[in-house]
Amino acid sequence: MISNVTKIISAIMSFVFVIVTMANGDKPGTEVVINEDATNPYIMEYGNPQISAHRSGANLAPENTLMAFEYVIENNDILGVDIFEFDVQITRDGELVLLHNLTYDDTSNAKEAFGHSNVTPYTYTLEQLQCLNLGENFKIDGEYLYRGLRGEDIPDNLRVVNCETILDYIENNSNEKEFQYIIEIKSPAFWGKKAADKLYQILEQRDLLSRTIIGSFLPTASKHIDENYPDMMRSASIKEVFQFYFYCRMNKDLDELDIKYVALQLPYGANVMPWRIEIINLGTKEVINYAHKYNIAVQYWTCNDAENAIYLTENGADAIMTDKPDMIYETIYNP
């Protein structure tokens, strides 16, 4: 009985230690430690993080649209994008379409078009979704550039698009640059498994598995990938991130765990952690050093702040996902 009580107290004390130290930055004198034996292709040379266009550059053009990808490709000399990050969900007829939110309500005219709210991809076919204007609520400097476009007035690059079209456009217009991809599966429940199956097929056919990391907040999707597609690289789930952080703070041996992920995709900055930023810091040298020690890349979202970008770069981040790749590129590479 005493032994059990002691174990419980020890576990509670360990948890409290982790929590109360989460907000702390690195100890004075902490330095970046380079893993010279790293084989992970997503671990970058120190001070040269990759720039990832989050939702294909959500501040530049309507997110997750062909128009956004076209903008990045045509202007990449001043954007410096290395990685395209986008989100996929499966439709009723088994197509993978790009969408970040669970519904089209916030980014399009979906409520008007279908006569109800909560319009989800898996309840409609790709053809049915073609009536949507994905630029409906996009604005720059307070102006809605594409609001009100309907029917034939909606340009093709603002309509719902499938994953194959996007990947083929990039690969055919990349000017010999080999872009990498971060693709997040957003379809919930069993739809996530179907989305993973379809995504694997698409990537394998285009020989893009080695240039793509799959992300998902949904444990069903991650588990399905591990069980069926061991050659599909993925990032850590939410549970795995907490597990990693505990091991890091307690300086435990991560090799005790059966790690399946190749990257941590972590939030950083008040814009993505408005109330949590004071109690947790995932951007420290300690976190990045520990990940690199175990051949794990560290990528941060969604960094739209120059000061945060400098901080993460100096601490050894491997990639910065941003809605503003032009600003981040200028900050890091052309100060």
Side-chain angles (χ1 to χ4, degrees):
M1 178 68 177
I2 295 177
S3 176
N4 288 337
V5 171
T6 301
K7 289 180 180 178
I8 292 173
I9 293 174
S10 176
I12 292 173
M13 290 179 65
S14 296
F15 178 76
V16 171
F17 169 78
V18 171
I19 293 297
V20 299
T21 58
M22 277 181 171
N24 296 339
D26 288 303
K27 296 177 182 178
T30 301
E31 297 182 354
V32 171
V33 178
I34 306 296
N35 180 358
E36 296 181 353
D37 298 321
T39 58
N40 188 329
Y42 286 89
I43 294 180
M44 296 294 107
E45 179 182 342
Y46 173 71
N48 292 280
Q50 293 182 301
I51 295 176
S52 173
H54 181 249
R55 305 189 201 178
S56 59
N59 271 53
L60 305 175
E63 65 183 53
N64 283 327
T65 62
L66 178 57
M67 179 182 288
F69 290 93
E70 290 171 345
Y71 184 92
V72 172
I73 290 291
E74 292 168 6
N75 296 279
N76 206 35
D77 57 331
I78 60 172
L79 300 176
V81 169
D82 305 294
I83 305 173
F84 283 101
E85 189 275 347
F86 58 93
D87 314 272
V88 295
Q89 298 189 48
I90 200 157
T91 64
R92 196 177 75 189
D93 57 338
E95 295 283 347
L96 270 192
V97 295
L98 275 61
L99 178 65
H100 176 270
N101 297 352
L102 292 180
T103 76
Y104 285 103
D105 295 13
D106 292 335
T107 54
S108 76
N109 58 315
K111 294 180 185 179
E112 171 196 311
F114 293 104
H116 63 86
S117 58
N118 298 320
V119 176
T120 58
Y122 53 83
T123 54
Y124 292 97
T125 67
L126 176 59
E127 183 178 0
Q128 289 173 316
L129 294 170
Q130 291 298 299
C131 66
L132 297 180
N133 170 13
L134 298 185
E136 180 75 5
N137 295 320
F138 176 77
K139 63 180 179 180
I140 293 180
D141 298 328
E143 181 180 357
Y144 292 93
L145 302 180
Y146 311 107
R147 175 162 287 181
L149 298 176
R150 299 291 185 268
E152 295 182 357
D153 291 333
I154 303 172
D156 288 342
N157 60 4
L158 282 182
R159 296 183 188 272
V160 174
V161 64
N162 63 17
C163 184
E164 298 99 308
T165 298
I166 291 299
L167 292 175
D168 290 343
Y169 170 77
I170 295 171
E171 292 298 306
N172 292 331
N173 295 276
S174 61
N175 296 320
E176 298 185 355
K177 179 179 176 67
E178 287 197 342
F179 287 99
Q180 294 175 326
Y181 302 95
I182 295 172
I183 304 177
E184 183 173 349
I185 296 173
K186 284 291 180 67
S187 294
F190 74 92
W191 289 288
K193 295 181 180 181
K194 289 188 173 183
D197 293 337
K198 180 70 172 181
L199 184 55
Y200 182 85
Q201 177 188 21
I202 292 169
L203 295 174
E204 184 183 39
Q205 288 175 347
R206 289 160 177 77
D207 196 25
L208 291 176
L209 286 169
S210 64
R211 286 197 268 145
T212 307
I213 293 179
I214 310 302
S216 183
F217 288 145
L218 307 168
T220 53
S222 297
K223 183 180 179 181
H224 186 70
I225 290 171
D226 292 344
E227 292 176 347
N228 295 278
Y229 307 113
D231 53 340
M232 180 182 271
M233 295 186 290
R234 70 168 179 87
S235 61
S237 66
I238 293 176
K239 178 182 177 181
E240 289 169 328
V241 169
F242 277 107
Q243 191 179 49
F244 167 90
Y245 193 79
F246 179 82
Y247 268 65
C248 173
R249 296 300 288 162
M250 299 302 294
N251 197 27
K252 292 170 65 69
D253 184 3
L254 198 64
D255 284 335
E256 294 176 359
L257 306 176
D258 184 20
I259 297 299
K260 301 291 188 182
Y261 53 88
V262 301
L264 293 160
Q265 293 169 349
L266 304 175
Y268 187 81
N271 62 311
V272 293
M273 304 169 65
W275 60 270
R276 295 180 291 271
I277 191 62
E278 298 300 327
I279 65 170
I280 187 170
N281 184 352
L282 296 173
T284 62
K285 295 183 182 74
E286 177 192 20
V287 167
I288 298 172
N289 286 345
Y290 185 77
H292 285 173
K293 176 182 176 181
Y294 292 98
N295 204 37
I296 300 168
V298 192
Q299 304 171 325
Y300 288 92
W301 57 270
T302 305
C303 181
N304 295 328
D305 178 86
E307 184 177 345
N308 287 343
I310 293 171
Y311 174 79
L312 294 173
T313 299
E314 291 178 344
N315 285 358
D318 297 301
I320 295 176
M321 302 182 219
T322 177
D323 299 323
K324 304 177 178 180
D326 48 346
M327 185 273 289
I328 298 299
Y329 179 65
E330 188 72 19
T331 297
I332 296 175
Y333 293 104
N334 295 301

